[in-house]
Amino acid sequence: METLTYSLKADHSGTENYYSDVRAFTDEVIQKSSESLSLIVGDYTKFLREYKLEDIRENEEYILELLSFGILWRSYAGKALAVKRAPFITLAKMSEWRKKHQRLKPAIDIARGILFTLFLLPEKKTQLPAEPRLEDIDHVCKWFEATGEFREQALRFIRWRAYWSTLGKDDLLKIFLSIRQFTDWFLTRSVEVLGKYTENVDGFIEKTELKYRWREDRIQCTRSRSEYHLNMVGAELMNRAFRAEYLDTTKKVVLVPGCMRAHTNNECKARKVKEGLICEDCTPKCNVNRLRHMGMRYNFDVCIIPHASDLSLWSPRKGREKAGIIASACVTTLVEGGWELKRYDVPAQCVLLDYSGCKKHWHGEGIPTCFNRNELRRILDSGSKFNVQGSTLG
Ligand code: SF4
């Protein structure tokens, strides 16, 4: 099968090796962060407690926030700082409107695609100073929000920025130096461990540069290899951080993207509900239908949701049982979605699609996607701790 950007089946067998690799590497990331980032996280959580800014979350989340800051800063700050004037607020609002108003989404997306290239993605980058300045972080976060791709990250970075503004210059420099060194280490080490799963990313970006130029998915589809690795480890860190809350729920729902279906949107017979689509069993060859059958055995529901849909629909409501959500998506979008679910107080876990292949964003004809069902079983298994030794294949 054609690999567009990433494939978890690097050795052309199953994807079990990927899950062993990513778990071992995530252990390494946590171990490494304890040498350099733990103190920063400890001081930050003291600040959050003192000003009652949030309920303290698991350490894995804060480590992921710092690592995301380090990598996204390198990937985008130069471009973002080169943008002096842009309709930042309108663009940020447009990315929310498209989630709430699915009918207007095609029109909004055409406008976003044009505005992105006109305003947000200049040809030239600004030369970055050795360490970020606080006023630059404000500007870059505004840019992140405007893209709609990094809204959740921006919300978290702004909170870190509030903490950083309470520190003296020397302390601040030490923190940015630690983040920079940790990011350097991650960039090198992640290629060694996860590089075999992302070998086609650079070639894909080079080949399709012109194709995405005026499209709203330009940023999503041209993510760098380092961001793929960040999101692979990010998905694992999130699963660990959100695990206890998720296990507290009885009802489980697996959310899948439309690209898992055997048929196109027009041919698929799924029934429309407020939250998405429910499979109506039109063909046994469909991956969604197979999952639906698995759900009958393992006691979970399956719902097909469109890309960039309104995840607040899954937030706990009065009179509705709180559901544990298992969301699946491709590497470029999964972490953002996980953080969004967290913001809506949804106990979630995630599972990566084995590769990307949807017609809308990635492939001319579309390739039906899938994910590792053993991984889903491990997520459903309340005894599984997600370490390599604890993996229970069914
Ligand atoms: S089996 Fe279900 S999800 Fe798949 S195409 Fe048919 S109705 Fe749609």
Side-chain angles (χ1 to χ4, degrees):
M1 197 206 64
E2 185 186 355
T3 299
L4 298 175
T5 53
Y6 80 98
S7 172
L8 306 188
K9 301 177 183 180
D11 53 7
H12 303 291
S13 59
T15 59
E16 285 300 314
N17 286 346
Y18 166 77
Y19 284 102
S20 299
D21 286 343
V22 81
R23 278 188 190 114
F25 184 46
T26 305
D27 288 343
E28 201 180 328
V29 169
I30 291 172
Q31 171 61 33
K32 183 82 184 166
S33 73
S34 68
E35 295 161 19
S36 55
L37 300 187
S38 289
L39 276 178
I40 304 173
V41 169
D43 289 342
Y44 179 50
T45 51
K46 265 188 226 154
F47 164 83
L48 294 173
R49 253 191 222 108
E50 192 179 331
Y51 291 94
K52 297 186 174 56
L53 291 177
E54 64 177 42
D55 294 332
I56 302 306
R57 297 170 281 133
E58 299 294 326
N59 269 1
E60 285 96 339
E61 274 197 69
Y62 297 116
I63 292 165
L64 178 57
E65 287 174 10
L66 288 178
L67 182 59
S68 302
F69 180 81
I71 289 178
L72 297 182
W73 185 265
R74 281 194 207 189
S75 297
Y76 300 105
K79 275 210 184 295
L81 291 171
V83 177
K84 298 296 170 218
R85 289 166 60 163
F88 290 112
I89 297 172
T90 308
L91 276 166
K93 281 188 177 158
M94 283 167 95
S95 67
E96 287 307 295
W97 293 336
R98 69 198 282 273
K99 288 182 187 172
K100 306 262 180 216
H101 308 286
Q102 291 287 323
R103 274 206 205 141
L104 297 177
K105 197 167 142 189
I108 294 175
D109 282 350
I110 291 173
R112 284 175 82 231
I114 295 167
L115 293 173
F116 274 7
T117 295
L118 284 182
F119 291 104
L120 294 188
L121 297 164
E123 294 298 327
K124 282 192 184 152
K125 291 182 188 178
T126 293
Q127 186 74 28
L128 291 176
E131 310 302 347
R133 291 180 299 232
L134 293 184
E135 62 273 24
D136 289 345
I137 296 175
D138 291 335
H139 186 84
V140 173
C141 283
K142 215 160 59 167
W143 185 91
F144 279 148
E145 276 210 71
T147 64
E149 296 288 327
F150 307 103
R151 177 159 195 253
E152 296 302 318
Q153 287 87 339
L155 292 173
R156 283 154 179 84
F157 298 161
I158 287 289
R159 200 160 278 183
W160 276 97
R161 191 264 186 236
Y163 164 59
W164 290 333
S165 69
T166 66
L167 303 177
K169 204 174 159 199
D170 289 347
D171 288 337
L172 209 48
L173 280 180
K174 267 190 227 155
I175 287 176
F176 288 138
L177 181 64
S178 296
I179 296 174
R180 179 150 58 90
Q181 287 170 340
F182 189 73
T183 305
D184 284 339
W185 170 80
F186 181 88
L187 291 176
T188 309
R189 185 72 185 126
S190 65
V191 174
E192 289 163 8
V193 183
L194 301 175
K196 59 180 173 238
Y197 303 106
T198 59
E199 276 174 354
N200 287 11
V201 172
D202 291 342
F204 179 84
I205 295 172
E206 218 172 285
K207 253 196 317 210
T208 56
E209 205 190 336
L210 283 178
K211 176 179 156 188
Y212 288 107
R213 191 167 168 76
W214 295 98
R215 286 173 44 161
E216 63 79 33
D217 53 1
R218 180 173 170 188
I219 296 175
Q220 182 203 332
C221 295
T222 57
R223 296 282 188 102
S224 64
R225 217 170 159 198
S226 57
E227 289 175 77
Y228 277 74
H229 299 159
L230 168 69
N231 288 352
M232 286 169 164
V233 171
E236 182 62 26
L237 283 169
M238 277 184 166
N239 276 352
R240 295 181 189 197
F242 302 165
R243 184 91 184 130
E245 235 182 292
Y246 159 85
L247 286 177
D248 251 3
T249 56
T250 319
K251 183 182 166 68
K252 311 286 186 211
V253 184
V254 177
L255 306 185
V256 297
C259 57
M260 270 183 83
R261 293 175 292 183
H263 292 326
T264 60
N265 215 10
N266 292 339
E267 293 161 338
C268 166
K269 301 282 182 274
R271 173 171 45 93
K272 204 166 174 9
V273 293
K274 196 172 158 212
E275 292 86 357
L277 297 166
I278 305 296
C279 173
E280 288 285 297
D281 191 14
C282 78
T283 166
K285 287 186 205 143
C286 176
N287 287 335
V288 178
N289 203 3
R290 288 187 185 120
L291 205 57
R292 190 180 68 83
H293 282 280
M294 187 179 164
M296 289 179 201
R297 209 168 135 214
Y298 288 88
N299 196 25
F300 61 82
D301 293 336
V302 178
C303 183
I304 306 161
I305 58 164
H307 177 71
S309 62
D310 181 6
L311 293 178
S312 69
L313 292 171
W314 298 97
S315 61
R317 307 237 162 112
K318 259 194 180 169
R320 190 169 78 174
E321 187 181 358
K322 192 171 184 173
I325 298 293
I326 302 160
S328 60
C330 64
V331 174
T332 54
T333 54
L334 195 67
V335 166
E336 173 82 8
W339 263 335
E340 194 176 344
L341 285 168
K342 171 82 184 179
R343 188 159 54 83
Y344 295 133
D345 193 25
V346 180
Q349 295 282 276
C350 56
V351 55
L352 283 173
L353 293 178
D354 289 352
Y355 47 84
S356 43
C358 80
K359 197 172 172 179
K360 184 166 189 311
H361 298 295
W362 297 102
H363 190 267
E365 282 86 54
I367 312 167
T369 54
C370 60
F371 60 69
N372 180 327
R373 283 194 275 169
N374 283 334
E375 179 65 4
L376 176 59
R377 263 183 230 135
R378 287 190 283 265
I379 289 173
L380 291 164
D381 173 5
S382 57
S384 174
K385 293 271 189 297
F386 285 105
N387 52 27
V388 181
Q389 290 80 13
S391 298
T392 51
L393 300 186

